[in-house]
Amino acid sequence: MQVRTPAIICAMRAHGEHGAIVRALTPDNGLLAGYVRGGRSRRLRPVLVPGNLVEADFRARTEEQLPGLTVELTHSRAGLLAEPLAAAAIDWLTTLTAVALAEGQPYPRLYDMLDAALAAIEYAPSARGWAAAAVRYELLLLAELGYALDLSACTATGSRSDLAFVSPKSGAAVSRGAGEPYARRLLPLPLFLVEAGAETNWSDIVAGLRLTGHFLARDILVDRRADALDARERMVTRIARLA
């Protein structure tokens, strides 16, 4: 097995005295894990920061063996670790990717959207500049794993206009007219998720995070994966302070 590919570092775990096991998302091979010799060295620690872009070379003698991994840094986002909100967002998005995806399954759309979301965090550190991209990434991940929300039309009337809520059970959209009598039991649907080019305000951002968070916690981040929600809570708490 030999794969040389661009990759986004998603997780790094110490292994042995000096090495590290790294999980990285690739465009054509999905999430891959590899052992980096000397991964905890002064030279490699700044390279193996989640969110960094690297050229990765995975090599193994057999498919059952954990590949050895060498990396070359192509773009660093390590400087964002000094920005608490940006660091929390990168931590969450890469953690979600590392724990939710099965290894070796290609998700090219997720790779492109994660790369775009991380770039948005880098170039517009204010949450107003990247939170919508983070919510869309969460929605896409749900869809890619078989838990897509149906936001195309009202599940009660079939109407495609004035969609304002989502059923927390079915994940289907509900129009304002059909949903208002049951609004307390439904999740608000922010306009930016159903109308291209719609502006986002703080209430939209909070509603979007509440929406995706409900389904991530219910369908994806369960059992041993539930600990990953701590990273999301850190991000959401910092955003809520700004709203």
Side-chain angles (χ1 to χ4, degrees):
M1 176 256 194
Q2 180 175 355
V3 176
R4 185 170 179 84
T5 175
I8 301 170
I9 302 294
C10 290
M12 190 273 280
R13 176 169 58 86
H15 184 80
E17 191 171 346
H18 303 291
I21 294 177
V22 172
R23 283 178 167 77
L25 187 64
T26 70
D28 299 320
N29 299 92
L31 189 71
L32 295 177
Y35 174 74
V36 180
R37 187 182 300 275
R40 294 155 64 195
S41 67
R42 182 177 300 179
R43 180 180 68 86
L44 286 177
R45 274 201 309 269
V47 176
L48 301 178
V49 171
N52 279 358
L53 299 177
V54 299
E55 187 70 18
D57 191 351
F58 294 87
R59 299 191 182 204
R61 294 181 179 178
T62 67
E63 292 185 1
E64 293 76 22
Q65 182 184 31
L66 178 68
L69 170 61
T70 57
V71 296
E72 299 173 17
L73 182 67
T74 58
H75 183 73
S76 175
R77 296 189 173 105
L80 292 173
L81 296 180
E83 301 290 337
L85 182 55
I90 293 173
D91 181 37
W92 161 241
L93 292 177
T94 54
T95 296
L96 172 63
T97 304
V99 304
L101 301 185
E103 292 182 11
Q105 300 296 317
Y107 296 102
R109 294 173 65 202
L110 282 177
Y111 179 89
D112 290 341
M113 188 164 283
L114 178 60
D115 189 34
L118 294 174
I121 294 167
E122 181 176 8
Y123 295 116
S126 166
R128 289 282 292 272
W130 52 257
V135 172
R136 291 191 182 98
Y137 180 73
E138 293 176 338
L139 278 178
L140 179 61
L141 184 139
L142 283 162
E144 292 285 289
L145 296 182
Y147 299 99
L149 277 61
D150 183 1
L151 307 181
S152 60
C154 175
T155 186
T157 66
S159 172
R160 295 179 178 272
S161 62
D162 202 21
L163 302 176
F165 305 100
V166 174
S167 165
K169 293 184 178 180
S170 69
V174 182
S175 67
R176 191 175 309 278
E180 279 186 342
Y182 315 100
R184 294 181 63 182
R185 287 183 276 170
L186 300 173
L187 296 166
L189 175 58
L191 188 61
F192 74 87
L193 292 181
V194 292
E195 185 175 304
E199 294 186 3
T200 57
N201 54 39
W202 288 117
S203 62
D204 289 331
I205 290 171
V206 172
L209 290 168
R210 180 185 173 198
L211 175 65
T212 50
H214 170 80
F215 293 101
L216 286 169
R218 189 192 73 177
D219 298 325
I220 304 295
L221 301 177
V222 297
D223 299 329
R224 62 181 178 81
R225 296 176 176 179
D227 290 343
L229 288 169
D230 292 342
R232 190 177 198 273
E233 184 60 28
R234 289 192 291 271
M235 179 190 73
V236 172
T237 297
R238 292 186 180 278
I239 292 174
R241 290 172 183 165
L242 301 174

